């Protein structure tokens, strides 16, 4: 057993990774699968209902293939998905019909039954329109994470996609950062709903957030006990001897709360970038890099140097995700900046009619803003990499910029696909409840977009699935010597595993099992 443990640890150690372009090509398979799925939904009547098997084949199976059998030719797999999509585009879009009067009434009224124009600001500030593209992005990211944490233990998963030892880029390296970035995006929701949350007393917020994070901390500790108790193969240079990703995830929302007074006064993206630069300064000029690479593990702090020293880099990624959330979740990219300004100017400047988070999104403006951010992050990454290679182990500034550029670009892709296949337009109509006829309401017309049913199900219970996949991966590795399994047997096992995870998500799709 000890010989196999040592061999397994060597099997996942010493990796140098792939290239940014190659990782992007593999990840683009997810966009291609969504393009095909959207074409089917918008052009084929029979596909309007949720068919689990069809969604699994179109949305989940290509992701598994992209990191295994097609890992060296992801472009060919994308082409296999895009060709039928292009054929489907020859068909006319399905007619969605004219909305029923009740549907129109729902659009122009708030949840309490009153028209949006007459609803008090306290009601307007509590609702945000769903963003299907965000659900799709988060679910696809989670699905790729779930698949890769088991697939990496088999030879069918190429070693250049496994986590790099110190420097380099790989699919699993970007997966870790994307998980944190995604958490940052959705953490913007309470702030957008009520900007005064930033001014609330720190201590009560810390208590509330800490209570929510206690289960994750417990899971992190439990993982340490189980790994040490079963002599499960582990990669110490990832996070350290005792530290793990659960502990990092649990600390990030707590640290975010401590930054609320600063978030109120400066652009969020700038804060995230400053934190990344500060972290890099500590690594390069403060001697932290040499300590991380060469320092001994003589006590419990030093034994977990990777997890502790990379934490500030992950805080930077989390805050940059929060920044993106303030761009894509409200009705317009400038919405949050206006909220900030009005809160700082005082109650006299508050204009609720102009800051309704439930108003239709200005997708074109959001696309332009995302494109601008993408260009900036990619250009900064190219410049920084001239003298500093990417390191997930340190979470250095190159890694932070790569995660920001990658996730911003792919969220842009998901939103763009939604706009292409499910276009909407907005128009202003007179408020029927206003006798003067001067008050206007914004009406959104066009086919309703929604995330694929399977991805909705995965997103609803994403963290439970993540836990379940970790348990399943552990059980499989304890019972099978995965590094000696043939490619054919590995693919059969991985297909069964991915099917099982998706079936679980599908069966639980109507209920949120754990609300964080």
């Amino acid at each position: 057993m000890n010989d196999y443990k040592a061999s397994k640890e060597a099997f996942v150690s010493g990796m140098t990774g792939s290239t940014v372009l190659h990782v992007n090509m593999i990840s683009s398979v997810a966009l291609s699968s969504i393009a095909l799925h959207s074409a089917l939904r918008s052009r084929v009547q029979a596909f309007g209902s949720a068919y689990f098997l069809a969604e699994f084949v179109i949305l989940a199976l290509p992701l598994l293939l992209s990191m295994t059998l097609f890992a060296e030719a992801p472009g060919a797999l994308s082409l296999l998905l895009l060709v039928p999509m292009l054929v489907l585009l020859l068909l006319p879009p399905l007619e969605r019909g004219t909305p029923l009067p009740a549907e129109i009434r729902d659009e122009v009224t708030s949840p309490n039954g009153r028209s949006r124009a007459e609803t008090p600001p306290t009601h307007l500030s509590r609702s945000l329109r769903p963003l299907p593209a965000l659900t799709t992005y988060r679910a696809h990211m989670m699905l790729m994470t779930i698949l890769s944490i088991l697939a990496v233990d088999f030879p069918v998963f190429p070693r250049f996609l496994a986590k790099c030892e110190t420097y380099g880029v790989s699919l699993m390296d970007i997966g870790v950062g994307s998980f944190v970035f995604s958490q940052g995006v959705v953490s913007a929701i309470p702030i957008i709903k009520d900007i005064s949350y930033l001014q609330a007393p720190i201590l009560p917020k810390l208590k509330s957030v800490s209570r929510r994070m206690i289960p994750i901390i417990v899971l992190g500790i439990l993982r340490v006990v189980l790994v040490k108790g079963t002599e499960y193969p582990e990669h110490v240079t990832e996070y350290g001897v005792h530290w793990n990703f659960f502990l990092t995830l649990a600390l990030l929302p707590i640290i975010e709360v401590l930054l609320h007074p600063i978030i109120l006064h400066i652009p969020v993206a700038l804060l995230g970038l400053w934190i990344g630069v500060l972290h890099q300064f500590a690594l390069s000029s403060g001697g932290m890099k040499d300590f991380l690479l060469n320092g001994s593990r003589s006590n419990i702090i030093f034994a977990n140097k990777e997890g502790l020293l990379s934490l500030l880099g992950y805080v930077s990624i989390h805050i940059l995700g929060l920044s993106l959330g303030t761009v894509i979740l409200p009705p317009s990219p400038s919405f949050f900046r206006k909220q900030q300004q009005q809160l700082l100017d005082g109650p006299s400047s508050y204009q609720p009619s102009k800051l309704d988070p439930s108003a239709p999104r200005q997708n074109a403006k959001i696309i332009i803003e995302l494109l601008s951010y993408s260009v900036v992050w990619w250009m900064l990454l190219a410049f920084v990499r001239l003298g500093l290679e990417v390191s997930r182990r340190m979470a250095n500034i190159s890694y932070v910029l790569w995660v920001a550029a990658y996730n911003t670009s792919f969220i842009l892709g998901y939103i763009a696909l939604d706009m292409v296949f499910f276009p909407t337009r907005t128009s202003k109509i007179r408020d029927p409840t206003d006798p003067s006829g001067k008050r206007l309401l914004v009406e959104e017309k066009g086919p309703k977009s929604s995330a694929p049913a399977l991805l909705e199900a995965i997103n609803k219970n994403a963290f439970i699935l993540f836990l379940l996949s970790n348990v399943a991966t552990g059980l499989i590795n304890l019972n099978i010597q995965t590094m000696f399994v043939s490619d054919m047997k590995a693919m059969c096992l991985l297909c069964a595993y991915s099917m099982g995870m998706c079936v679980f998500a599908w069966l639980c799709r109507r209920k949120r099992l754990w609300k964080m």
Side-chain angles (χ1 to χ4, degrees):
M1 178 64 185
N2 287 333
D3 289 342
Y4 177 72
K5 182 176 183 288
S7 299
K8 184 63 179 292
E9 289 172 355
F11 184 62
V12 295
S13 302
M15 303 299 131
T16 56
S18 180
T19 65
V20 170
L21 178 60
H22 189 209
V23 173
N24 288 346
M25 290 293 291
I26 290 175
S27 304
S28 295
V29 172
L31 287 176
S32 301
S33 70
I34 286 295
L36 175 57
H37 187 275
S38 299
L40 284 166
R41 285 173 60 201
S42 61
R43 261 89 179 163
V44 179
Q45 186 71 48
F47 203 78
S49 303
Y51 294 113
F52 170 78
L53 189 59
E55 297 220 330
F56 174 78
V57 170
I58 295 172
L59 300 173
L61 195 57
L63 300 190
L64 178 59
L65 293 173
S66 70
M67 62 182 69
T68 52
L69 302 180
F70 282 84
E72 295 189 10
L77 181 56
S78 286
L79 195 61
L80 289 175
L81 295 167
L82 291 176
V83 167
M85 183 274 292
L86 293 172
V87 172
L88 286 167
L89 289 182
L90 299 176
L91 300 175
L94 294 174
E95 292 292 334
R96 300 293 176 178
T98 304
L100 297 174
E103 293 174 336
I104 296 175
R105 188 165 57 252
D106 288 342
E107 283 294 309
V108 298
T109 58
S110 63
N112 61 2
R114 303 167 70 180
S115 77
R116 295 199 183 275
E118 63 177 306
T119 304
T122 53
H123 293 287
L124 289 175
S125 64
R126 302 300 176 190
S127 59
L128 276 175
R129 292 196 173 215
L131 183 57
L134 180 59
T135 299
T136 303
Y137 151 76
R138 282 170 54 81
H140 252 163
M141 182 271 300
M142 178 58 69
L143 194 52
M144 292 190 80
T145 302
I146 288 171
L147 295 175
S148 60
I149 61 175
L150 177 60
V152 69
D153 295 320
F154 295 91
V156 72
F157 186 93
R159 296 301 89 195
F160 55 75
L161 297 184
K163 289 178 182 175
C164 299
E165 188 68 25
T166 300
Y167 293 104
V169 297
S170 74
L171 183 67
M172 293 195 73
D173 285 325
I174 196 63
V176 174
S178 297
F179 207 109
V180 172
F181 191 92
S182 170
Q183 180 180 264
V185 172
V186 296
S187 69
I189 293 174
I191 297 174
I192 296 169
K193 284 183 175 181
D194 184 6
I195 185 69
S196 63
Y197 179 64
L198 292 175
Q199 286 184 325
I202 292 289
L203 194 57
K205 288 191 292 187
L206 277 177
K207 289 180 179 178
S208 175
V209 172
S210 298
R211 277 197 300 268
R212 294 204 310 269
M213 294 300 110
I214 284 174
I216 302 179
I217 295 173
V218 172
L219 287 169
I221 296 171
L222 185 61
R223 187 184 188 279
V224 174
V225 173
L226 291 174
V227 167
K228 301 299 180 184
T230 58
E231 293 191 353
Y232 188 82
E234 56 181 327
H235 195 182
V236 172
T237 57
E238 278 190 44
Y239 300 103
V241 178
H242 310 98
W243 199 271
N244 56 59
F245 190 51
F246 288 108
L247 300 177
T248 297
L249 278 180
L251 289 178
L252 293 176
I254 297 172
I255 296 172
E256 181 206 310
V257 169
L258 296 174
L259 294 172
H260 279 179
I262 303 175
I263 291 173
L264 183 61
H265 291 87
I266 67 173
V268 187
L270 186 60
L271 174 62
L273 195 57
W274 279 356
I275 294 171
V277 171
L278 177 65
H279 176 55
Q280 185 58 51
F281 181 80
L283 288 171
S284 301
S285 302
M288 292 297 100
K289 183 179 76 170
D290 291 337
F291 169 67
L292 189 145
L293 296 179
N294 305 312
S296 65
R297 301 183 187 272
S298 55
N299 57 51
I300 193 167
I301 300 296
F302 291 1
N304 297 286
K305 55 187 179 179
E306 287 87 357
L308 293 170
L309 291 181
S310 65
L311 185 60
L312 198 58
Y314 285 115
V315 171
S316 175
I317 292 171
H318 178 91
I319 297 300
L320 289 175
L322 171 65
S323 170
L324 192 78
T326 64
V327 171
I328 65 174
L329 290 169
S332 72
S334 61
F335 184 90
F336 179 72
R337 293 192 288 271
K338 292 176 181 176
Q339 282 184 312
Q340 278 179 307
Q341 190 57 51
Q342 289 195 7
L343 193 63
L344 292 173
D345 291 345
S348 60
S349 68
Y350 186 59
Q351 296 176 294
S353 60
K354 293 186 178 181
L355 291 178
D356 177 8
S358 64
R361 284 192 178 87
Q362 300 175 23
N363 289 324
K365 289 184 178 179
I366 291 174
I367 286 284
I368 292 171
E369 186 99 357
L370 287 178
L371 184 60
S372 302
Y373 271 113
S374 295
V375 171
V376 169
W377 297 142
W378 285 118
M379 288 180 66
L380 283 175
L381 174 62
F383 175 75
V384 171
R385 286 188 75 192
L386 293 175
L388 186 66
E389 192 48 79
V390 174
S391 175
R392 174 204 48 80
R393 185 179 175 187
M394 303 179 202
N396 64 1
I397 189 63
S398 295
Y399 181 69
V400 169
L401 291 171
W402 179 38
V403 171
Y406 172 94
N407 284 275
T408 303
S409 300
F410 277 88
I411 290 175
L412 169 62
Y414 285 115
I415 294 177
L417 285 174
D418 254 9
M419 287 182 64
V420 169
F421 288 100
F422 307 101
T424 59
R425 65 182 188 278
T426 57
S427 59
K428 292 185 177 180
I429 60 172
R430 297 190 183 280
D431 183 358
T433 65
D434 179 23
S436 68
K438 294 181 180 179
R439 189 161 45 192
L440 299 177
L441 297 173
V442 178
E443 181 187 39
E444 194 172 41
K445 296 180 179 179
K448 290 291 182 185
S449 170
S450 62
L454 176 58
L455 297 187
E456 284 267 18
I458 291 171
N459 189 62
K460 179 168 285 188
N461 289 298
F463 196 72
I464 292 293
L465 283 170
F466 182 60
L467 294 179
L468 188 62
S469 65
N470 273 272
V471 173
T473 298
L475 291 174
I476 290 170
N477 274 279
L478 287 173
N479 289 281
I480 300 174
Q481 294 189 343
T482 53
M483 61 183 289
F484 301 129
V485 174
S486 67
D487 288 356
M488 182 175 292
K489 288 182 179 178
M491 287 306 298
C492 290
L493 186 58
L494 288 169
C495 285
Y497 163 80
S498 56
M499 173 66 82
M501 291 295 148
C502 290
V503 166
F504 178 85
W506 187 261
L507 294 177
C508 301
R509 68 188 184 278
R510 303 194 188 282
K511 185 177 181 181
R512 193 180 297 276
L513 300 177
W514 183 4
K515 187 174 182 180
M516 290 177 59

